[in-house]
Amino acid sequence: MFSRQICSNSYVHTRGDISATMSSPTSTPGGRKRGRSSNPATPSSEGPTSPPSQRRKGQDSSNGDLMPMPTSPATDMLSPAAPQDTSLFSSPRPSVPPNEVDMSSPLMYGTPSSRVEGTPRSGVRGTPARQRPDLGGFLQRFIDPTSKEDENAGLDLNEPLYMQKLEEISVVGDPVLSVNCLHVQSFDAELYRQLICYPQEVIPTFDMAVNELFFERFPDSILEYQIQVRPYNALKTRNMRSLNPEDIDQLITISGMVIRTSQLIPEMQEAFFQCQVCAYSTRVEVDRGRIAEPAVCRHCNTTHSLALVHNRSVFSDKQMIKIQESPEDMPAGQTPHTTVVYGHNDLVDKVQPGDRINITGIYRAVPMRVSPIQSSVKSVYKTHIDAIHFRKTDEKRLHGLDEDAEQKLFTEDRVQTLKELAAKPDVYERLSSALAPSIYEHEDIKKGILLQLFGGSRKDFSQTGRGNFRAEVNILLCGDPGTSKSQLLQYVFNLVPRGQYTSGKGSSAVGLTAYVMKDPETRQLVLQTGALVLSDNGICCIDEFDKMSDSTRSVLHEVMEQQTLSIAKAGIICQLNARTAVLAAANPIESQWNPKKTTIENIQLPHTLLSRFDLIFLMLDPQDEAYDRRLAHHLVSLYYQSEEQMEEEFLDMAVLRDYIAYARTYINPRLSEEASQALIEAYVDMRKIGSGRGMVSAYPRQLESLIRLAEAHAKVRFSEKVETIDVEEAKRLHREALKQSATDPRTGFVDISILTTGMSATARKRKEEVAQALKKLIQAKGKTPAMKYQQLLDDLRGQSETAITRELFDEALRALADEDYLTVTGKTVRLLA
Amino acid sequence: MMPSTHDWINCPLGVVEGMFAASQNNPNSGWEAKAVEFFKNQLKEKDAHTWVPSLNDVPLHYLKPNSLVKFRCFIQDMFDPEFFMGVYETVDPSTKAKVLRCGKYKDVTECGVDFNSSNTVTAERQTFYCVPIPGENPWVKESYASTSQARVVPSTSYAPTRQKRSYEEDDDDMDTQPQKQREPHAGPQSPTEHHGNGDCKRQETEAPSNQTASASHLDLNFPLPGEKGPSCLVKVYEDWESFKLNDLLEVYGILSVNPALSALADEKDTSSSIQDPTECMETAEEQRVHSPPASLVPRLHMLYARPLPHNNPLLPCTTVEDNSAFLSSSLSEMASVRAELLAYFTHILLGDALAAEYLILHLISNVYTRRDVLPLGKFTLNLSGCPTAASYTERFYQIIQQLVPSSYYLGMSLQNMNQMRLVPKKDYVANRLVSGALQLARNTSLFLDETQLEQGQLDTTGVRNVTALGNLISWQKVDYDFNYHQMEFPCNINVLIVSEGRSLLPSDCQIHLQSQVTAPQLEEYLSSIHMHPQSSSQLNKFRIYLCMARQLDYNISDEMTKSVEEDFVDMRKDDPQSVSAEDLHRMLVVARLLSLSLGQTSLSRDSWLRAKHIDMLRRSRMEQHKCVNGNEP
């Protein structure tokens, strides 16, 4: 929604007298309907003028553009298909040479580059087998009841899919029909094979079939130009790295990231020549990138009198787009590959640098000439892809979950292995021990992180006004330095596909959220996203959380509960999704953990932030002999065991990664009846623990945490239902974490208010008592308006039975000051009247 | 046997084409594999590889085009794969006779290609941009050059290519030429000879560098500033997935310097406006980078590449396991060499034997494996308390430079930190990976001089650079900047930090230098270090020792495991605060390196105790220092 709005018509062409008839596309439907390449008024194009890219291929060279326009397009070209007609669907040009057919195909868009001589394979390959008559059958009958694509939202899944889409076209008037190649494959594998191998020939016939069908159904509809069929999702190739010479001239789909787009390039399609002597004009088509300039005027026979008139020539839009392999697809230790893509006409400016896209197109290779004079050539081909269809994979991340990007392709075998693994009774333990095997023990912490990796189920309560519930589990690790916290964070960051790693010391609020930048080229404002937005649907690892500045930390409040990020900067006001799980690590303020202090006191983080963490773990040095021994064994074995031995013991990182990806995509557990009961009980129990002593030991946030953890645990088991065992484990883990972080060092009880109010209930009570005692002491002194601070402290100490620290005294003074009883100025305490 | 008579060196394409022609009657002959096999076998022959001239030490214009050459290099960047005509057909314009030709190992086709021939076979190859090994020290280059037995005669093709090399001048190279043809050495170790022709060598190796210096408008993208030498576009025909960025290779391939390959911007302007529409899409920068003038960046069509485990010319270039004879002969010597080296380092480190010990351990350290994210075996040393006087650190570096095959000195001055490009960055306009000083080969010694750092402001780049150095030290990885994302490249670099106080960068081990030399004498003492350079044979012994020790295998017996565990438990019992898991990590590394430095391949009780002992000494020195200074954290 913040993509730069580059006007797609930035190339404005001055036109001659023809422009009057051309500028309004709707008025010229019939005459130009073969000029498929004319730029449709895509929503993004704001310019009032339509680009000068009309092609009138197939019309005679006389002034076709001034002909009166028939309003019905169906008359001259699209007579109904006669099934027995073996030619190409009784097209108006019964025996068209292949080149002519090409001209109406979306893949050509009249690109001369794609017709340059010697495309390596095209000469070798013959034209495909003859037309399949059930092309129309596919369109009329194909039903996809399991469709999940959002393009099909609102369509009746039990009706023929593409007929509904055609209906949509007749209503909306955007003559583009995207066809999922998987549908073609499931309908007719042979047709699919032909489509993949001979796209240049098959797609035009698709076009014709669609148009015939369309105008048969909706004879009155008026379209700007003919419907274009745009196949996508060809499974031929997924990865840029696997492109090879076999793929030349075939329909391929690859994924990647746009790294650069060129300026719009007007490409001449048809040159307009006018004789300088007699003003006779003629048109010459561009053939393979060249224009044959007529040497003699046919009208007056003058030689070399014809001059090119630029603004009456016909141009089409073209754009070069460079895409680069997505980082996930790359083998380690290699640099990413890039590929050049050409987008034509309305595909121009559809994508911006930084977009992740799936692109379907035809792979081409063109020989390079060293120079026009030399006859020897470089033996290298230039390769590029003529784009037919773009599909942004990250577009939907702004509004919802993107199934598509998450959907890794799991082979049958892989799914089987994963399911077998899930069926094992100890899968939970196995996975947690596979996590960061180089880090010793800390079993519960690893389990917590494992559950974080899986996450809870997503729930949407936006109808009832509550908005989205957080499904991500946030974890804080605190503890002594040198207890491999950073290492755990590094491991997690390396494990998850969309992880970000930042250090509290080095990151600013801007670096975490987003910032607005002026693009130096276009002078437009661009929103650059920070770590939190980038790790949407992933995990954001924040090291040295305690060293973060307060203002930076404050942006986390919104992210960690609402899972959104609001930005109001430089005129851009927006809310971005940041459904990220936060894994943070903090060091105690005194560099060593002080067991006599509470968590809050040790790490000095605002409790408002702490309460947003589902689990807070302490990573302390246990200092016990048995532990030391095991630790030593673990470390020593790290140093001498061979790689293979290690791998036998632990799960492969790749398996773990796939397991998590699979569970996150396919498993969405719901609470069972018993589980909800168990959760209620657990919550009530937690509330009860404290109520006896007047303390609150659980808040609704804790209940939500429990639910999330239970769901995550069910995901680990690949179970669609949350059962009692999940709740049990969630309870256990939650209790463990609480035991570590929310134990009141003074009483030894678990007290959640340490985390929610920053102070344990006993401490609060104690403060209250001291304040009262102090008040009494002052009242006993009679009417002295001011007292010495130190004296008062000594007096109080003398009177009290328990030890009174200076901090406690200060707090008591502050409490009394809040009551407007006294004020403290420097070393004196003044009573207020 | 005269090496120069070998056709397979002078005209390898003839061999390839012969095999191609022979295979035409037999479609399944697998001639391509056979051709590669042929060259491999030829090179296997004793000393055969020394007959092949090397791009590293022979100026490009002395090399015959289309001859077999070798190149000791470092993969700096990988370009996109390209499709080429593996087999094509030409038509003679007069006779109309069609001939099938082989396009492999060539850049340019013959005249009269029939593009529509059905016999055309499209094949795929990959291009690597290779540069000489960054930070390779002069002694390595000289030693490699002196073992070469290649006969390089100014070829007949020299004259025609001359005007192509318009940048450079024909200097006095002709005079030094006969040096190339001298008799092979009996052994590279012989010191006098080595020194005797050092000067001549230098002149020769500088010849190609003049070339690059004068053509500085074309950035050859060396990782380190001030580097010299040829860079090369290596075309790889098979198995390119097995190569990784930053690998060290010795490439044997066919040299191609066809001037038609150069695509300079000015040429483009003059050429006809009717162009292949695909070609005008590339930016001028991209053109320049991907098709630089062949006289500057030659193309090398790879026949065979040998991954280099190290670039020490004094060691046989195979893994130690395959070379048990060499191993056993030197293992016994290792202890004595170590003693000499220790004495030498003690002398240099102002009489501090403990620091010298740690320095040896540091120099033989090596990341031998990774456990998930944890690199094992790294040993970054922080040598604090270095005197700032008399440019001690520079002198110290010069000594390191004499001992390790490749090294780099990075003065951490504010200016350097704020301005230098340490992390490689992808330049999408030119479509290449712009190198940075941290793009280094395996086992390069990176010498960080923190004494150069003064008070002042680090800007954004500076902070990023310091973070990158920190990441390098802690995780042995560098996150290359790909603009839209970062990509992690593991590395294996020995980082040595010299500083006055404790370094601001993390390190595995810090040792404070205790100088036995009083300040007034320092100047004199330091100048005397260089007065008595070690004899060349002594240096060579040290060089072999350091590389050997790094490559040894190592294990810990079950028995020792037990006793180490016991020790750890006991230490914790006495004082749990002072010994942490991290300390055990470090002690295990120290014990490992200590054993290896003595040529022992398994941990012995003695080594373990000694490791504990020196670690204790080091710690107590730190405590002391803390008490004296009082300002250490």
Side-chain angles (χ1 to χ4, degrees):
Chain A
M1 72 217 229
F2 294 101
S3 60
R4 281 176 280 172
Q5 292 254 313
I6 301 177
C7 172
S8 74
N9 293 337
S10 55
Y11 167 72
V12 178
H13 179 69
T14 25
R15 263 171 291 169
D17 49 334
I18 333 163
S19 62
T21 51
M22 289 170 72
S23 59
S24 126
T26 45
S27 69
T28 62
R32 302 202 200 307
K33 62 185 179 303
R34 265 196 268 163
R36 323 191 20 155
S37 57
S38 66
N39 201 344
T42 46
S44 65
S45 66
E46 293 174 333
T49 50
S50 72
S53 52
Q54 328 285 20
R55 285 176 31 82
R56 281 169 307 280
K57 165 81 196 180
Q59 284 182 350
D60 51 5
S61 57
S62 69
N63 279 339
D65 38 293
L66 294 174
M67 279 195 323
M69 303 303 158
T71 40
S72 159
T75 45
D76 62 337
M77 282 181 67
L78 299 155
S79 52
Q84 70 274 24
D85 192 343
T86 52
S87 74
L88 302 168
F89 275 94
S90 70
S91 105
R93 296 159 288 164
S95 55
V96 253
N99 237 8
E100 291 286 16
V101 177
D102 288 347
M103 300 322 292
S104 67
S105 108
L107 36 136
M108 297 313 294
Y109 292 120
T111 55
S113 60
S114 44
R115 280 179 294 135
V116 169
E117 55 182 297
T119 302
R121 297 276 301 265
S122 58
V124 185
R125 208 175 283 158
T127 39
R130 88 171 32 148
Q131 206 39 61
R132 310 259 323 181
D134 62 340
L135 249 176
F138 164 71
L139 296 163
Q140 285 179 34
R141 292 201 302 273
F142 183 78
I143 300 168
D144 182 19
T146 56
S147 165
K148 274 188 195 150
E149 292 167 66
D150 56 358
E151 282 100 326
N152 300 347
L155 298 183
D156 185 351
L157 294 180
N158 296 318
E159 290 291 310
L161 177 74
Y162 290 103
M163 293 315 285
Q164 295 184 63
K165 286 203 174 174
L166 283 184
E167 205 173 323
E168 216 174 81
I169 291 174
S170 78
V171 176
V172 179
D174 182 18
V176 171
L177 180 70
S178 298
V179 173
N180 190 336
C181 291
L182 279 185
H183 293 167
V184 180
Q185 191 182 26
S186 66
F187 185 80
D188 183 346
E190 175 61 17
L191 181 63
Y192 172 76
R193 194 190 64 77
Q194 289 183 346
L195 175 63
I196 296 299
C197 296
Y198 313 103
Q200 209 154 323
E201 288 83 11
V202 174
I203 295 174
T205 54
F206 250 91
D207 281 353
M208 278 181 240
V210 167
N211 280 301
E212 258 166 58
L213 202 65
F214 181 78
F215 288 111
E216 210 172 279
R217 283 281 167 110
F218 311 101
D220 299 333
S221 47
I222 296 165
L223 289 180
E224 222 177 292
Y225 50 93
Q226 280 188 308
I227 297 173
Q228 299 179 9
V229 173
R230 300 209 168 144
Y232 66 97
N233 208 7
L235 279 182
K236 177 79 185 137
T237 309
R238 273 272 160 185
N239 190 336
M240 208 180 288
R241 204 159 278 267
S242 51
L243 285 177
N244 63 43
E246 293 287 296
D247 294 326
I248 293 175
D249 281 341
Q250 305 214 335
L251 191 70
I252 54 164
T253 298
I254 58 170
S255 61
M257 187 172 65
V258 180
I259 51 169
R260 218 154 64 82
T261 55
S262 74
Q263 297 278 325
L264 186 139
I265 305 158
E267 196 176 44
M268 191 177 280
Q269 294 302 318
E270 198 176 68
F272 185 94
F273 287 97
Q274 195 166 38
C275 178
Q276 303 289 60
V277 179
C278 63
Y280 170 81
S281 65
T282 183
R283 290 171 182 282
V284 179
E285 290 224 355
V286 175
D287 185 26
R288 296 169 191 176
R290 282 154 208 254
I291 301 163
E293 186 185 341
V296 181
C297 173
R298 270 196 284 162
H299 190 251
C300 61
N301 281 330
T302 324
T303 50
H304 303 295
S305 66
L306 290 155
L308 184 67
V309 182
H310 271 278
N311 56 8
R312 292 185 69 181
S313 300
V314 179
F315 294 87
S316 72
D317 295 347
K318 174 172 169 177
Q319 187 180 33
M320 186 197 73
I321 300 151
K322 270 223 156 139
I323 62 172
Q324 179 185 283
E325 262 179 304
S326 332
E328 301 89 75
D329 293 343
M330 287 183 32
Q334 309 234 333
T335 55
H337 288 174
T338 55
T339 304
V340 176
V341 175
Y342 288 114
H344 300 282
N345 297 309
D346 63 321
L347 290 180
V348 166
D349 273 340
K350 272 283 172 68
V351 292
Q352 302 287 335
D355 286 346
R356 301 268 181 120
I357 56 169
N358 275 337
I359 168 172
T360 305
I362 299 174
Y363 196 39
R364 301 207 185 263
V366 189
M368 286 203 290
R369 229 167 242 291
V370 170
S371 81
I373 313 121
Q374 275 174 297
S375 54
S376 67
V377 291
K378 267 186 181 177
S379 60
V380 179
Y381 295 103
K382 285 254 155 196
T383 53
H384 70 266
I385 297 170
D386 276 324
I388 292 176
H389 189 275
F390 289 127
R391 188 186 169 88
K392 286 191 196 178
T393 50
D394 54 356
E395 193 178 39
K396 284 170 286 169
R397 279 174 61 196
L398 284 171
H399 359 281
L401 258 191
D402 51 337
E403 301 278 321
D404 214 53
E406 294 269 305
Q407 225 159 34
K408 266 177 88 179
L409 279 181
F410 294 106
T411 57
E412 295 278 322
D413 289 355
R414 198 62 166 187
V415 173
Q416 199 54 39
T417 342
L418 296 181
K419 287 200 169 141
E420 270 167 31
L421 185 61
K424 292 197 171 127
D426 60 342
V427 58
Y428 181 50
E429 279 74 22
R430 263 168 197 266
L431 292 180
S432 70
S433 66
L435 211 64
S438 66
I439 297 160
Y440 181 62
E441 287 226 325
H442 298 301
E443 285 304 318
D444 282 331
I445 296 174
K446 284 189 188 173
K447 280 177 180 167
I449 291 176
L450 185 71
L451 295 188
Q452 179 181 42
L453 290 171
F454 283 88
S457 307
R458 248 170 239 286
K459 312 166 201 68
D460 189 2
F461 289 99
S462 41
Q463 266 109 7
T464 54
R466 177 64 219 266
N468 278 321
F469 261 67
R470 168 157 70 98
E472 279 74 20
V473 178
N474 297 325
I475 295 182
L476 175 67
L477 308 173
C478 27
D480 295 338
T483 41
S484 48
K485 292 189 298 292
S486 306
Q487 209 180 312
L488 255 181
L489 258 56
Q490 277 283 345
Y491 181 87
V492 170
F493 159 65
N494 278 307
L495 183 71
V496 293
R498 215 174 274 145
Q500 291 292 323
Y501 184 94
T502 62
S503 168
K505 225 193 277 178
S507 47
S508 61
V510 158
L512 281 179
T513 55
Y515 58 100
V516 179
M517 204 183 78
K518 199 164 247 175
D519 189 293
E521 245 172 71
T522 58
R523 315 284 302 148
Q524 279 165 345
L525 293 176
V526 195
L527 198 68
Q528 297 279 335
T529 45
L532 284 171
V533 181
L534 286 177
S535 57
D536 186 28
N537 281 321
I539 293 186
C540 188
C541 303
I542 307 176
D543 207 351
E544 307 194 59
F545 197 57
D546 49 318
K547 310 246 180 356
M548 211 176 244
S549 71
D550 288 339
S551 61
T552 313
R553 233 182 265 139
S554 65
V555 303
L556 286 169
H557 280 101
E558 186 191 352
V559 170
M560 288 178 63
E561 200 55 57
Q562 271 68 46
Q563 307 270 286
T564 54
L565 202 64
S566 303
I567 287 169
K569 264 180 203 139
I572 294 179
I573 299 165
C574 65
Q575 208 175 35
L576 299 174
N577 271 326
R579 288 151 306 183
T580 168
V582 174
L583 176 61
N587 287 322
I589 219 83
E590 301 167 24
S591 90
Q592 280 285 318
W593 189 267
N594 186 346
K596 297 194 183 63
K597 287 185 172 178
T598 62
T599 310
I600 298 277
E601 288 160 340
N602 261 314
I603 52 178
Q604 299 276 311
L605 285 176
H607 52 82
T608 44
L609 198 54
L610 278 190
S611 66
R612 283 170 162 81
F613 284 103
D614 298 80
L615 297 171
I616 298 175
F617 286 109
L618 296 189
M619 287 182 90
L620 297 181
D621 227 346
Q623 299 177 5
D624 117 63
E625 193 182 318
Y627 172 84
D628 290 347
R629 193 174 297 277
R630 278 175 316 194
L631 174 66
H633 182 76
H634 179 81
L635 289 185
V636 177
S637 67
L638 264 188
Y639 279 85
Y640 80 92
Q641 265 183 347
S642 67
E643 201 97 7
E644 297 82 54
Q645 273 172 304
M646 285 306 266
E647 258 156 36
E648 271 169 36
E649 276 174 54
F650 298 108
L651 267 177
D652 193 10
M653 201 155 155
V655 175
L656 183 63
R657 201 178 277 142
D658 279 2
Y659 194 94
I660 292 169
Y662 186 86
R664 280 183 73 106
T665 324
Y666 297 105
I667 315 285
N668 220 353
R670 307 225 148 257
L671 290 179
S672 68
E673 192 52 43
E674 306 93 76
S676 353
Q677 279 308 319
L679 279 168
I680 293 168
E681 269 167 43
Y683 181 58
V684 171
D685 282 349
M686 278 159 70
R687 298 274 297 186
K688 258 191 220 151
I689 294 175
S691 63
R693 299 188 304 277
M695 295 191 295
V696 182
S697 54
Y699 289 93
R701 267 208 179 130
Q702 272 72 46
L703 178 58
E704 282 173 26
S705 295
L706 274 187
I707 296 174
R708 273 192 288 273
L709 292 172
E711 283 166 349
H713 189 259
K715 270 193 192 175
V716 174
R717 298 187 298 117
F718 276 13
S719 159
E720 283 292 348
K721 246 187 181 174
V722 181
E723 289 170 43
T724 336
I725 48 163
D726 302 318
V727 180
E728 285 305 317
E729 175 56 23
K731 254 166 74 182
R732 191 193 67 77
L733 209 57
H734 194 256
R735 201 171 50 232
E736 279 305 314
L738 268 189
K739 212 195 281 172
Q740 292 179 3
S741 59
T743 308
D744 187 340
R746 268 152 271 208
T747 58
F749 288 117
V750 170
D751 183 356
I752 193 71
S753 56
I754 290 176
L755 299 183
T756 49
T757 65
M759 202 182 238
S760 70
T762 36
R764 233 177 319 159
K765 216 165 133 201
R766 177 102 185 100
K767 188 180 93 181
E768 201 64 23
E769 281 166 10
V770 174
Q772 287 313 316
L774 185 64
K775 200 170 179 183
K776 267 191 203 136
L777 180 79
I778 294 169
Q779 277 165 349
K781 288 204 172 207
K783 288 216 180 299
T784 39
M787 281 157 286
K788 284 253 165 29
Y789 174 91
Q790 193 57 41
Q791 169 128 34
L792 204 55
L793 177 60
D794 291 343
D795 286 353
L796 189 65
R797 275 184 178 158
Q799 201 185 43
S800 172
E801 291 145 24
T802 52
I804 290 182
T805 59
R806 184 177 286 265
E807 290 86 53
L808 200 57
F809 179 69
D810 282 343
E811 271 180 23
L813 278 181
R814 224 173 293 134
L816 290 179
D818 286 347
E819 286 176 28
D820 282 342
Y821 184 70
L822 48 76
T823 60
V824 184
T825 43
K827 289 282 166 209
T828 46
V829 179
R830 275 172 216 287
L831 285 189
L832 296 173
Chain B
M1 185 159 49
M2 290 292 283
S4 58
T5 58
H6 288 291
D7 275 351
W8 60 273
I9 292 179
N10 284 328
C11 188
L13 277 176
V15 177
V16 173
E17 267 157 16
M19 286 183 168
F20 171 74
S23 74
Q24 285 316 299
N25 306 322
N26 177 9
N28 299 322
S29 64
W31 68 275
E32 290 166 312
K34 269 189 208 155
V36 172
E37 201 55 37
F38 170 80
F39 285 102
K40 261 189 207 170
N41 286 334
Q42 292 291 337
L43 287 166
K44 251 182 218 153
E45 231 172 275
K46 195 177 175 299
D47 284 344
H49 60 94
T50 59
W51 303 332
V52 181
S54 164
L55 266 179
N56 295 90
D57 40 53
V58 181
L60 182 59
H61 51 274
Y62 286 147
L63 293 169
K64 200 167 154 244
N66 297 326
S67 67
L68 188 72
V69 294
K70 64 181 175 186
F71 186 36
R72 192 173 69 257
C73 61
F74 168 86
I75 304 178
Q76 191 270 324
D77 195 2
M78 293 167 156
F79 292 157
D80 293 330
E82 57 188 24
F83 293 170
F84 68 100
M85 289 175 239
V87 177
Y88 60 94
E89 207 164 30
T90 52
V91 187
D92 192 297
S94 51
T95 62
K96 302 282 173 221
K98 291 190 172 186
V99 187
L100 266 191
R101 291 181 190 273
C102 165
K104 215 177 169 186
Y105 307 118
K106 278 183 222 159
D107 281 310
V108 178
T109 61
E110 316 273 325
C111 296
V113 178
D114 177 10
F115 286 109
N116 296 319
S117 161
S118 60
N119 291 321
T120 307
V121 176
T122 310
E124 191 180 6
R125 69 185 175 203
Q126 168 78 283
T127 308
F128 293 156
Y129 186 80
C130 294
V131 296
I133 297 169
E136 195 175 62
N137 285 323
W139 68 268
V140 178
K141 292 193 203 300
E142 279 162 26
S143 174
Y144 269 118
S146 66
T147 50
S148 169
Q149 300 174 40
R151 296 183 137 247
V152 185
V153 198
S155 61
T156 44
S157 65
Y158 176 47
T161 52
R162 189 182 297 190
Q163 59 268 54
K164 289 289 168 198
R165 303 179 295 107
S166 51
Y167 303 123
E168 65 197 280
E169 286 156 39
D170 282 24
D171 47 16
D172 52 347
D173 284 340
M174 293 308 263
D175 307 335
T176 58
Q177 195 52 34
Q179 285 294 333
K180 281 277 150 202
Q181 296 167 2
R182 72 187 171 272
E183 288 305 302
H185 296 298
Q189 270 93 341
S190 103
T192 48
E193 197 170 9
H194 188 79
H195 270 261
N197 51 35
D199 286 353
C200 314
K201 276 282 163 263
R202 187 154 295 133
Q203 274 186 354
E204 277 178 8
T205 45
E206 268 167 14
S209 62
N210 291 344
Q211 202 174 349
T212 55
S214 51
S216 57
H217 66 276
L218 195 117
D219 180 12
L220 288 180
N221 211 5
F222 294 126
L224 300 176
E227 287 269 295
K228 294 167 176 176
S231 58
C232 200
L233 283 169
V234 177
K235 310 272 180 183
V236 189
Y237 288 84
E238 53 237 334
D239 268 352
W240 52 80
E241 295 90 355
S242 65
F243 299 106
K244 292 199 162 131
L245 203 70
N246 306 348
D247 272 357
L248 296 184
L249 295 179
E250 185 162 58
V251 179
Y252 291 85
I254 300 170
L255 183 73
S256 165
V257 285
N258 196 321
L261 296 170
S262 326
L264 279 174
D266 46 287
E267 270 175 38
K268 281 197 77 78
D269 297 337
T270 55
S271 66
S272 140
S273 61
I274 310 163
Q275 269 186 3
D276 197 314
T278 53
E279 236 160 333
C280 56
M281 296 301 171
E282 281 188 332
T283 58
E285 286 94 331
E286 193 168 348
Q287 286 264 335
R288 258 209 296 276
V289 166
H290 288 259
S291 338
S295 57
L296 210 56
V297 181
R299 318 297 195 260
L300 196 57
H301 295 267
M302 182 196 282
L303 281 165
Y304 166 60
R306 194 167 56 160
L308 295 177
H310 59 79
N311 58 330
N312 190 335
L314 308 174
L315 275 182
C317 203
T318 42
T319 46
V320 176
E321 291 79 29
D322 306 337
N323 226 316
S324 48
F326 186 81
L327 181 77
S328 53
S329 68
S330 21
L331 261 190
S332 50
E333 272 177 36
M334 280 183 81
S336 66
V337 180
R338 184 186 195 277
E340 287 170 46
L341 186 58
L342 189 64
Y344 181 49
F345 278 162
T346 311
H347 176 66
I348 287 156
L349 293 171
L350 312 176
D352 187 341
L354 186 64
E357 184 110 23
Y358 272 98
L359 183 60
I360 294 180
L361 300 189
H362 163 75
L363 287 176
I364 63 168
S365 69
N366 176 35
V367 178
Y368 63 98
T369 186
R370 282 168 196 270
R371 286 284 134 82
D372 40 73
V373 291
L374 193 71
L376 295 181
K378 73 187 172 89
F379 194 66
T380 304
L381 189 65
N382 175 204
L383 205 59
S384 58
C386 288
T388 45
S391 54
Y392 174 71
T393 50
E394 275 99 343
R395 287 174 194 225
F396 181 35
Y397 171 69
Q398 280 161 12
I399 284 153
I400 302 272
Q401 213 181 1
Q402 282 296 312
L403 294 172
V404 297
S406 23
S407 60
Y408 179 58
Y409 173 89
L410 178 60
M412 284 178 68
S413 64
L414 262 187
Q415 197 196 1
N416 265 349
M417 292 319 282
N418 281 338
Q419 287 174 2
M420 255 183 96
R421 192 175 52 226
L422 291 187
V423 176
K425 183 180 191 313
K426 179 85 178 186
D427 174 359
Y428 284 114
V429 177
N431 196 13
R432 70 164 167 184
L433 188 66
V434 180
S435 193
L438 291 187
Q439 192 179 15
L440 294 175
R442 184 174 51 238
N443 292 133
T444 306
S445 283
L446 180 62
F447 190 94
L448 296 179
D449 189 352
E450 212 184 272
T451 59
Q452 305 263 324
L453 195 60
E454 62 271 29
Q455 282 190 1
Q457 172 103 39
L458 277 184
D459 60 19
T460 333
T461 328
V463 172
R464 223 173 270 155
N465 279 342
V466 172
T467 319
L469 284 175
N471 272 340
L472 168 71
I473 293 165
S474 313
W475 308 108
Q476 286 288 339
K477 62 162 190 181
V478 180
D479 289 318
Y480 290 13
D481 183 359
F482 278 80
N483 199 356
Y484 303 99
H485 58 96
Q486 296 193 326
M487 211 175 300
E488 186 182 308
F489 283 86
C491 56
N492 185 358
I493 300 173
N494 295 12
V495 187
L496 178 64
I497 312 164
V498 293
S499 57
E500 284 174 84
R502 203 173 72 113
S503 168
L504 65 98
L505 294 169
S507 61
D508 294 312
C509 174
Q510 184 213 342
I511 181 154
H512 197 83
L513 200 61
Q514 266 178 358
S515 166
Q516 309 293 321
V517 184
T518 52
Q521 296 169 334
L522 193 63
E523 192 82 29
E524 198 185 324
Y525 184 87
L526 286 179
S527 49
S528 74
I529 290 179
H530 276 267
M531 293 295 281
H532 309 288
Q534 295 287 313
S535 73
S536 178
S537 66
Q538 191 74 6
L539 276 178
N540 278 344
K541 256 205 282 188
F542 292 161
R543 290 164 183 167
I544 294 174
Y545 167 80
L546 289 175
C547 272
M548 280 285 300
R550 180 179 279 155
Q551 295 194 29
L552 291 178
D553 236 6
Y554 174 76
N555 60 57
I556 306 177
S557 65
D558 287 348
E559 212 176 314
M560 270 315 293
T561 313
K562 287 256 160 50
S563 101
V564 167
E565 286 166 32
E566 294 292 329
D567 260 12
F568 179 68
V569 174
D570 288 345
M571 282 189 282
R572 294 269 296 178
K573 234 188 250 165
D574 299 343
D575 186 2
Q577 286 300 322
S578 69
V579 183
S580 67
E582 223 163 85
D583 293 318
L584 182 60
H585 265 295
R586 190 186 49 246
M587 272 192 288
L588 284 166
V589 176
V590 170
R592 175 194 152 89
L593 295 173
L594 200 63
S595 306
L596 293 180
S597 76
L598 291 163
Q600 298 164 353
T601 55
S602 70
L603 182 63
S604 67
R605 182 84 204 147
D606 282 351
S607 307
W608 171 247
L609 289 179
R610 192 156 161 205
K612 259 171 62 179
H613 178 69
I614 63 169
D615 201 54
M616 210 240 333
L617 282 179
R618 185 186 66 87
R619 278 152 157 265
S620 65
R621 187 185 282 191
M622 263 166 65
E623 300 277 316
Q624 253 175 27
H625 184 66
K626 224 183 267 183
C627 297
V628 173
N629 265 15
N631 60 358
E632 292 284 320

